[in-house]
């Protein structure tokens, strides 16, 4: 099949090949192919073909299925089979060509990629062709001759010729109908049941050996075949004949219409500018909350309902919003499990995220939702799933999310969908391989989540949603450690900037000790007011109220009254009542102090305690003299005793009752807080040190793939038949790579001829992992995984070649 595909690729013009590469990004992913034969292998990969099929609309799949059911499909024959004019079929056939899932041969016959057939075990409900059954090892020559005689054919001659005659008879519906004139009663009904409900059905094996039964008559005449005693199958040609000339496979070239209603674009835009800042602000509040109180996980995994409700109450979010943002922040790597605290806490990426400008923060969250392989608001049996729990649907949920939003982009500007049923029917037409039941359960949750994130408003896509929906092919998956290109897309960046353009960075302070923000507050403004005041309402206008308790809370976190007033003055004019409240609260703040001490040191001699408090080597204990005969230490009793004894004093421990106690100590090893990890090459290091070495920039973008049309031009310009290289590879490597033993020279030859992966070492000690090599003079031009590009390695300087695994 790859030979047919390669031959067709070599006949293509640059524009068609460029469209194929644009539609099949998997084919030019790193290491991008430099020859058409390598490209043909990529395009024919079964897994890649099935993934491409998932993105195709219903007419393409219906065409492919109909072509699979035909013995020698052609474009004209396919149109006749569907009972449609060729011009109605041609655009969808071209769509298959542009994805390299089908292509025309020199004789006009259509070829399908091998992976296409994996979706249909019985295309159109039809079984294997007659040729498959007659060439089976279960059919003996005697049985074949008996079948020919039963059909009135000469039984002698070559086996292949006999099979051709039998196929000719059974493929002719008229001749089969003439045969049925002598069949037992009930034979037509039996064959019709197999033709429409088959092709494989359970049967009573005894009736296939009982003379006079329809089953035995059909088996004797090749109309039914039995792979085993209780199962029978009708051949494809016989089933098509029984369905009759009026049968045509289903073909729906037009998508179901989505019921729409007009909406005000300005209102949609306004709702987006309210929702987008709110998402950034609430995520910051949620992550701040988890930094103070780590979020524990259930023993079975995930976050419990009680914790979700606690976080929602403390951050001012509703529960649905909290569920969604917790999962989005986790996928965005802003929230992660920490063993020391025993809960989910913000990561170092959160520290970088909160310093970014608002548009970048929003794009991080939207990108995480776009690739998230779970549905936060999906209900199963009327209940939500556990937050951050396992979702068996996995990537299918992400596919539904992208399919739903992509369909919404087709709606005319200024319109919204009127009912979900028509929307889901349209989604199923555009993505027919998505499980129907999963679509029905997930799609409402997708729409609700999109509304919370500002991607959907009044059932219409916002500019943010439209920009995100246009990036379907670049989404990545939930387990990507590096941030996908979605976050850095210029269209999405522009939409995110505009969505946050209306945020308010100032507040109106009233004499009634309130602060009003008429519009969406910026994350920084909301965080400041949340620290100093209690939020009373949110929406088009948000209101905070200052109280003695709220101001004291801010002072407890280290604010000085002047600094607090200066920060508030930076976002609005402070009325006199608010200034009085802050200063009065600050005046009483600290009247009573509570100190945590490690232990108490007592002595009858004030001079001795004064000497101990002034001792230089005891500074680390944080000693403070509370009274002439009372000293307190910040360290615990055991550590304080040890240091005092090391410096020449003779303290004794005293119990809570005041009695002297003797402690029998067992020396324990110092705790080892590091976690060992295995590094490449078998080296071992502590995880903290390893992470320091791997400190990466905030956002990492992978090596971009080449432009499809430019790469198509290079492929067509440099393509050459493999015959030119036959024998040359081994001769050049044997002559130039003289430092290598014969076995390693052979392995290097496979890197060139078969594109295998191997590790090499050069004379200067440099190592590299290479694949997809080509010989250029005395050098090997190969893909280097470490460099992320093609590099040249002199053959004479390669001293070792190792198999790559």
């Amino acid at each position: 099949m790859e030979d047919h595909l390669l031959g067709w690729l070599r006949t293509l013009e640059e524009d068609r090949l460029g469209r194929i590469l644009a539609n099949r990004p998997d084919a030019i992913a790193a290491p991008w192919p430099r020859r058409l034969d390598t490209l043909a292998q990529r395009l024919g990969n079964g897994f890649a073909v099935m993934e491409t099929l998932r993105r195709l609309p219903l007419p393409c799949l219906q065409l492919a299925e109909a072509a699979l059911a035909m013995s020698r499909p052609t474009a004209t024959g396919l149109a006749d089979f569907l009972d449609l004019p060729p011009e109605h079929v041609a655009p969808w056939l071209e769509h298959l060509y542009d994805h390299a899932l089908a292509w025309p041969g020199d004789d006009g016959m259509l070829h399908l990629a091998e992976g296409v057939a994996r979706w249909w075990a019985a295309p159109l409900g039809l079984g294997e062709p007659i040729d498959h059954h007659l060439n089976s090892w279960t059919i003996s020559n005697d049985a074949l001759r008996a079948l020919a005689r039963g059909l009135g054919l000469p039984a002698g001659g070559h086996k292949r010729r006999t099979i051709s005659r039998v196929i000719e008879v059974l493929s002719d519906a008229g001749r089969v109908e003439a045969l049925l004139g002598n069949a037992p009663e009930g034979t037509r009904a039996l064959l019709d049941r197999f033709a429409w409900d088959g092709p494989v059905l359970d049967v009573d094996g005894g009736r296939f050996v009982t003379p006079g039964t329809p089953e035995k008559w059909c088996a004797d005449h090749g109309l039914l075949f039995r792979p085993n005693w209780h199962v029978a199958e009708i051949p494809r040609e016989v089933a098509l004949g029984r369905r009759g000339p009026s049968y045509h496979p289903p073909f729906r070239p037009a998508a179901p219409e989505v019921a729409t209603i007009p909406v005000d674009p300005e209102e949609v835009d306004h709702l987006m500018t309210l929702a987008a800042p709110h998402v950034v602000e609430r995520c910051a509040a949620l992550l701040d909350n988890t930094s103070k109180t780590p979020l524990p996980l259930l023993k079975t995994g995930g976050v419990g309902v009680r914790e979700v409700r606690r976080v929602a109450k403390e951050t001012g979010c509703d529960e649905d919003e909290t569920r969604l943002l917790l999962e989005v922040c986790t996928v965005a790597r802003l929230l992660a499990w920490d063993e020391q605290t025993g809960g989910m806490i913000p990561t170092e990426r959160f520290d970088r995220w909160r310093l970014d400008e608002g548009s970048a923060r929003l794009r991080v969250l939207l990108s995480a939702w776009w690739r998230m392989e779970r549905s936060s608001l999906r209900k199963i049996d009327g209940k939500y799933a556990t937050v951050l729990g396992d979702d068996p649907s996995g990537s299918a949920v992400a596919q539904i999310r992208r399919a739903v939003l992509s369909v919404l982009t087709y709606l005319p500007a200024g319109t919204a969908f009127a009912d979900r049923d028509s929307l889901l029917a349209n989604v199923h037409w555009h993505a027919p391989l998505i499980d129907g039941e999963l679509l029905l359960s997930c799609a409402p949750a997708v729409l609700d989540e999109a509304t919370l994130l500002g991607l959907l408003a009044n059932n219409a896509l916002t500019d943010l949603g439209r920009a995100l929906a246009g990036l379907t092919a670049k989404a990545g998956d939930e387990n990507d450690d590096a941030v996908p290109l979605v976050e850095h897309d210029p269209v999405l960046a522009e939409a995110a900037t505009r969505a946050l353009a209306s945020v308010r960075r100032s507040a109106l302070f009233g004499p009634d000790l309130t602060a009003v923000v008429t519009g969406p507050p910026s994350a920084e403004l909301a965080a400041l007011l949340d620290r100093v005041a209690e939020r009373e309402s949110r929406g088009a206008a948000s209101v905070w109220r200052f109280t003695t308790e709220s101001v004291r809370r801010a002072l407890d976190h280290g604010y000085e009254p002047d600094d607090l007033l200066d920060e508030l003055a930076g976002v609005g004019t402070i009325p006199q009542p608010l200034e009085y409240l802050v200063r009065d609260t600050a005046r009483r703040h600290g009247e009573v102090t509570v100190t945590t001490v490690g232990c108490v040191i007592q002595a009858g001699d004030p001079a001795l305690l004064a000497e101990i408090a002034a001792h230089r080597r005891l500074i680390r204990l944080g000693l403070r003299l509370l009274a002439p005969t009372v000293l307190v230490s910040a360290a615990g009793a055991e550590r304080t005793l040890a240091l005092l004894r090391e410096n020449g004093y003779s303290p004794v421990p005293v119990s809570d009752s005041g009695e002297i106690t003797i402690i029998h100590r067992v020396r324990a090893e110092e705790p080892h807080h590091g976690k060992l990890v295995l590094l490449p090459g078998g080296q071992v290091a502590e995880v903290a040190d390893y992470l320091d070495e791997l400190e990466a920039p905030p956002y990492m973008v992978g090596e971009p793939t080449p432009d499809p049309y430019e790469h198509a031009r290079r492929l067509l310009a440099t393509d050459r038949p493999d015959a030119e290289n036959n024998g040359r590879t081994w001769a050049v490597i044997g002559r130039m790579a003289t430092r290598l033993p014969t076995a390693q020279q052979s392995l290097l030859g496979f890197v060139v001829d078969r594109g295998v992966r191997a590790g090499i070492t050069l004379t200067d000690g440099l190592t590299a992992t290479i694949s997809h090599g080509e010989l250029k003079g005395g050098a090997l031009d190969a893909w280097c995984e470490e460099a992320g590009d093609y590099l040249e390695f002199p053959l004479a300087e390669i001293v070792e070649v190792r198999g790559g695994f």
Side-chain angles (χ1 to χ4, degrees):
M1 191 61 70
E2 285 181 3
D3 293 339
H4 290 296
L5 177 57
L6 177 59
W8 177 66
L9 291 175
R10 285 177 169 154
T11 66
L12 298 183
E13 297 179 352
E14 180 183 311
D15 185 62
R16 168 57 68 81
L17 184 57
R19 290 202 303 273
I20 291 175
L21 296 181
N23 290 327
R24 295 287 301 274
D26 56 284
I28 53 173
W32 42 86
R34 296 183 294 180
R35 299 197 305 258
L36 285 179
D37 57 343
T38 307
L39 176 63
Q41 292 176 359
R42 291 272 191 95
L43 293 173
N45 178 272
F47 179 78
V49 166
M50 289 191 290
E51 287 299 308
T52 304
L53 279 171
R54 293 181 187 276
R55 304 196 302 267
L56 296 186
L58 183 62
C60 290
L61 300 185
Q62 290 178 326
L63 274 184
E65 186 178 10
L68 285 172
M70 300 175 66
S71 56
R72 293 182 60 83
T74 62
T76 304
L78 194 56
D80 291 341
F81 190 29
L82 296 170
D83 194 28
L84 291 170
E87 58 270 18
H88 289 185
V89 175
W92 299 108
L93 205 52
E94 289 291 322
H95 205 57
L96 287 173
Y97 295 166
D98 285 345
H99 287 78
L101 300 179
W103 57 90
D106 294 336
D107 55 356
M109 191 176 76
L110 295 178
H111 297 276
L112 295 173
E114 290 183 3
V116 174
R118 298 183 185 180
W119 281 111
W120 295 282
L124 301 179
L126 300 171
E128 299 289 347
I130 300 173
D131 181 77
H132 170 82
H133 294 286
L134 296 182
N135 283 294
S136 171
W137 63 270
T138 59
I139 300 294
S140 65
N141 289 334
D142 291 340
L144 183 61
R145 294 190 194 99
L147 174 59
R149 285 193 295 270
L151 295 174
L153 299 173
H158 193 270
K159 178 181 179 180
R160 184 69 253 177
R161 187 177 304 168
T162 303
I163 290 176
S164 298
R165 291 169 179 166
V166 171
I167 292 175
E168 182 181 354
V169 172
L170 297 181
S171 299
D172 188 332
R175 298 176 73 172
V176 171
E177 183 62 30
L179 281 173
L180 291 174
N182 299 320
E185 185 178 354
T187 303
R188 285 185 173 83
L190 175 67
L191 289 176
D192 288 345
R193 186 165 67 90
F194 271 89
W196 292 104
D197 301 332
V200 179
L201 295 176
D202 294 334
V203 296
D204 179 0
R207 293 182 61 83
F208 278 79
V209 295
T210 303
T213 61
E215 287 83 357
K216 178 170 174 53
W217 190 91
C218 288
D220 292 342
H221 291 80
L223 301 178
L224 291 177
F225 289 87
R226 254 188 333 153
N228 59 57
W229 183 259
H230 290 295
V231 173
E233 179 178 352
I234 187 171
R236 180 177 303 176
E237 293 85 349
V238 176
L240 283 173
R242 293 309 303 164
R243 292 184 182 184
S246 61
Y247 168 73
H248 300 287
F251 186 68
R252 192 173 187 179
E257 186 177 354
V258 179
T260 60
I261 55 174
V263 293
D264 183 2
E266 292 186 1
E267 185 179 357
V268 171
D269 194 64
H270 174 65
L271 292 175
M272 175 189 72
T273 60
L274 291 178
H278 178 77
V279 169
V280 178
E281 174 213 329
R282 289 299 88 196
C283 276
L286 183 148
L287 291 165
D288 281 334
N289 181 274
T290 56
S291 67
K292 300 170 187 174
T293 308
L295 200 62
L297 298 183
L298 300 171
K299 292 182 179 179
T300 56
V303 180
V305 176
R306 183 179 300 176
E307 286 299 318
V308 172
R309 290 173 178 169
R310 177 189 63 79
V311 173
K313 182 178 180 181
E314 293 179 2
T315 58
C317 297
D318 61 36
E319 289 186 30
D320 285 356
E321 197 173 27
T322 303
R323 297 176 64 86
L324 173 61
L325 297 184
L326 279 174
E327 296 195 325
V328 167
C329 289
T330 304
V331 175
R333 306 296 193 270
L334 302 176
L335 193 65
W337 171 258
D338 180 69
E339 290 186 6
Q340 290 186 349
T341 59
M344 303 285 289
I345 63 172
T347 64
E348 291 183 4
R349 180 172 288 185
F350 167 62
D351 297 330
R352 297 190 293 263
W353 176 82
R354 72 190 311 172
L355 296 177
D356 273 343
E357 47 97 15
S359 171
R361 280 181 279 174
L362 178 61
R363 284 182 276 123
V364 167
L365 301 175
L366 296 182
S367 172
W369 180 76
W370 195 232
R371 68 182 189 273
M372 191 168 73
E373 296 179 354
R374 61 190 69 241
S375 180
S376 304
L377 303 184
R378 173 189 172 200
K379 288 188 176 181
I380 302 175
D381 297 331
K383 296 181 180 179
Y384 287 128
T386 304
V387 175
L388 296 177
D390 292 333
D391 191 335
S393 302
S395 59
V397 174
Q399 292 167 7
I400 290 174
R401 179 182 300 117
R402 297 165 197 169
V404 170
L405 260 69
S406 297
V407 163
L408 290 173
T409 61
Y410 299 128
L411 299 184
T415 60
F417 67 90
D419 77 283
R420 290 185 175 181
D421 290 341
S422 63
L423 174 66
L424 296 188
N426 192 282
V427 170
H428 191 65
W429 185 90
H430 282 92
L433 294 181
I434 291 178
D435 181 77
E437 292 186 5
L438 188 63
L439 176 62
L440 290 175
S441 66
C442 282
V446 168
L447 297 173
D448 293 341
E449 292 169 14
T451 302
L452 287 174
L453 295 173
L455 306 172
L456 200 66
N458 288 345
N459 290 339
L461 270 187
T462 63
D463 289 345
L464 264 182
R466 201 169 295 277
L468 194 63
L471 300 171
T472 304
K474 302 178 183 178
D477 61 64
E478 185 177 298
N479 297 318
D480 286 344
D481 289 328
V483 177
L485 294 175
V486 170
E487 294 179 11
H488 308 279
D489 181 77
V491 177
L492 182 61
E494 181 182 354
T497 301
R498 205 168 67 77
L500 297 175
S502 63
V503 296
R504 299 290 185 264
R505 305 185 185 279
S506 61
L508 300 175
F509 296 102
D512 58 347
L513 299 179
T514 60
V516 180
V517 180
T518 57
S522 68
E524 294 77 12
L525 175 59
L528 171 62
L529 295 177
D530 283 340
R531 286 194 295 269
V532 189
E534 304 289 349
R535 190 186 296 229
E536 291 189 338
S537 67
R538 63 179 73 247
S542 300
V543 179
W544 282 263
R545 182 170 297 279
F546 295 89
T547 65
T548 302
E549 291 76 12
S550 66
V551 174
R552 186 178 63 237
R553 184 178 64 229
L555 297 175
D556 286 342
H557 283 84
Y559 268 111
E560 293 293 333
D562 291 336
D563 294 339
L564 180 57
L565 290 172
D566 287 343
E567 285 197 33
L568 293 175
V571 297
T573 303
I574 301 178
Q576 199 172 48
L578 177 56
E579 184 177 357
Y580 286 165
L581 175 66
V582 173
R583 295 200 181 278
D584 287 345
T585 305
R587 189 175 302 111
R588 298 189 58 190
H589 190 257
E591 288 179 338
V592 178
T593 62
V594 177
T595 304
T596 300
V597 298
C599 64
V600 178
I601 305 170
Q602 294 176 294
D605 186 358
L608 176 59
L609 286 187
E611 177 188 331
I612 293 174
H615 202 295
R616 288 185 178 182
R617 294 184 180 179
L618 299 176
I619 292 177
R620 71 187 79 175
L621 292 178
L623 299 174
R624 287 181 295 146
L625 198 61
L626 297 184
T629 58
V630 180
L631 192 67
V632 294
S633 169
E638 190 172 343
R639 179 168 173 76
T640 302
L641 283 166
L643 282 177
L644 287 173
R645 287 167 178 166
E646 285 179 10
N647 289 279
Y649 300 100
S650 301
V652 293
V654 178
S655 66
D656 295 340
S657 62
E659 297 178 357
I660 296 176
T661 58
I662 303 299
I663 302 176
H664 299 281
R665 299 185 57 192
V666 177
R667 182 174 180 82
E669 295 183 0
E670 288 292 325
H672 181 70
H673 299 293
K675 182 178 180 182
L676 297 181
V677 294
L678 183 65
L679 302 182
Q683 297 179 348
V684 175
E686 286 193 14
V687 69
D689 300 334
Y690 183 49
L691 293 178
D692 290 341
E693 294 175 6
L694 295 182
E695 187 64 33
Y699 304 116
M700 298 173 60
V701 182
E703 188 73 21
T705 56
D707 178 81
Y709 293 91
E710 291 183 4
H711 198 64
R713 187 182 308 117
R714 287 195 293 267
L715 283 170
L716 294 176
T718 59
D719 182 58
R720 58 186 181 277
D722 289 338
E724 295 182 12
N725 288 330
N726 286 346
R728 177 176 177 270
T729 298
W730 309 101
V732 172
I733 291 177
R735 187 175 69 253
M736 302 296 296
T738 55
R739 298 175 183 268
L740 299 176
T742 303
Q744 294 186 18
Q745 288 180 347
S746 299
L747 179 56
L748 201 60
F750 288 129
V751 173
V752 176
D753 286 350
R754 301 184 184 178
V756 301
R757 185 170 176 264
I760 61 171
T761 303
L762 303 181
T763 53
D764 57 2
L766 178 69
T767 61
T769 306
I770 62 171
S771 60
H772 301 84
E774 288 185 359
L775 295 177
K776 289 188 176 180
L780 174 66
D781 185 10
W783 176 264
C784 176
E785 294 184 7
E786 289 77 8
D789 203 350
Y790 285 97
L791 300 179
E792 290 188 7
F793 301 93
L795 288 171
E797 296 183 12
I798 301 177
V799 297
E800 183 185 11
V801 182
R802 306 172 301 280
F805 303 100

